[in-house]
Amino acid sequence: DAKTTQPTSMDCAEGRAANLPCNHSTISGNEYVYWYRQIHSQGPQYIIHGLKNNETNEMASLIITEDRKSSTLILPHATLRDTAVYYCIVKGGTSYGKLTFGQGTILTVHP
Amino acid sequence: GAVVSQHPSRVICKSGTSVKIECRSLDFQATTMFWYRQFPKQSLMLMATSNEGSKATYEQGVEKDKFLINHASLTLSTLTVTSAHPEDSSFYICSATGSGAAGVSNGYTFGSGTRLTVV
């Protein structure tokens, strides 16, 4: 599975959009981009995933560049409860193989 | 949506004793379970993968005789930390995938984690 690179930490003001980048320049054609988050001392929570088209759900939007080498997770109106570690994971295909977590981005939402 | 119940949420045990952690899939059949360990301020590290009815596959460096994994049914997997020592103190998290997971669009559901402290 392709390696991902994320900034160590980011800040965001409450009510503003949080844009979290992820670089996955070695991604291959059948690999999906997954986003999870982990609030302190809890299990990871699924946010969104995509292959090449932009995706949106009730939690967030995922923008994947045309060359698929990077993506951005957008939380449109961040709240204090969105403070968490956000993990971008690239995994091959749709089979249920293991998810490998990198270091993630610590997002802190300020009042 | 799919739910994985993990128990206990916290456990303190004496050095040398064994501790069992349970993960149950409540509304779907968990054909595969993943067990992770997370030290403070670090990311999740995969320990092992287990398929129902089969022996677990351990990641490199994880002692299979120390971390016993049982996945005897499609709804229950257990991780037993045998002869626990203070260095085994960590946050243990399970994840399940499988069929029949109502409302799961990505296929992976995580438990809430178990904080193990060995004294």
Side-chain angles (χ1 to χ4, degrees), chain A residues 36 38 46 49 91 97 99 102, chain B residues 36 38 43 59 105-106 108:
Chain A
Y36 284 80
Q38 185 180 25
Y46 166 78
H49 76 289
K91 196 187 80 63
L99 287 179
Chain B
Y36 294 84
Q38 185 176 32
S43 186
E59 296 296 303
S105 59
N106 74 104
Y108 298 85

Side-chain angles (χ1 to χ4, degrees), chain A:
Chain A
D1 296 330
K3 179 180 171 60
T4 62
T5 303
Q6 298 177 251
T8 303
S9 63
M10 294 184 66
D11 290 336
C12 177
E14 189 177 20
R16 305 298 293 267
N19 298 288
L20 292 88
C22 180
N23 182 286
H24 32 79
S25 59
T26 60
I27 193 170
S28 59
N30 68 340
E31 290 182 316
Y32 285 70
V33 180
Y34 288 78
W35 282 86
Y36 284 80
R37 73 180 183 184
Q38 185 180 25
I39 296 171
H40 183 62
S41 293
Q42 296 183 23
Q45 176 190 24
Y46 166 78
I47 301 173
I48 200 167
H49 76 289
L51 182 62
K52 54 183 177 181
N53 296 322
N54 297 337
E55 302 287 345
T56 295
N57 62 21
E58 64 279 3
M59 288 183 68
S61 294
L62 174 60
I63 308 298
I64 302 175
T65 58
E66 192 169 341
D67 63 8
R68 304 210 318 125
K69 293 185 177 182
S70 65
S71 61
T72 301
L73 177 75
I74 301 172
L75 308 179
H77 305 287
T79 71
L80 299 179
R81 287 176 295 184
D82 292 321
T83 293
V85 181
Y86 286 77
Y87 296 99
C88 168
I89 301 169
V90 171
K91 196 187 80 63
T94 55
S95 62
Y96 294 146
K98 59 186 179 183
L99 287 179
T100 301
F101 287 78
Q103 292 306 307
T105 296
I106 302 170
L107 174 68
T108 303
V109 181
H110 297 287

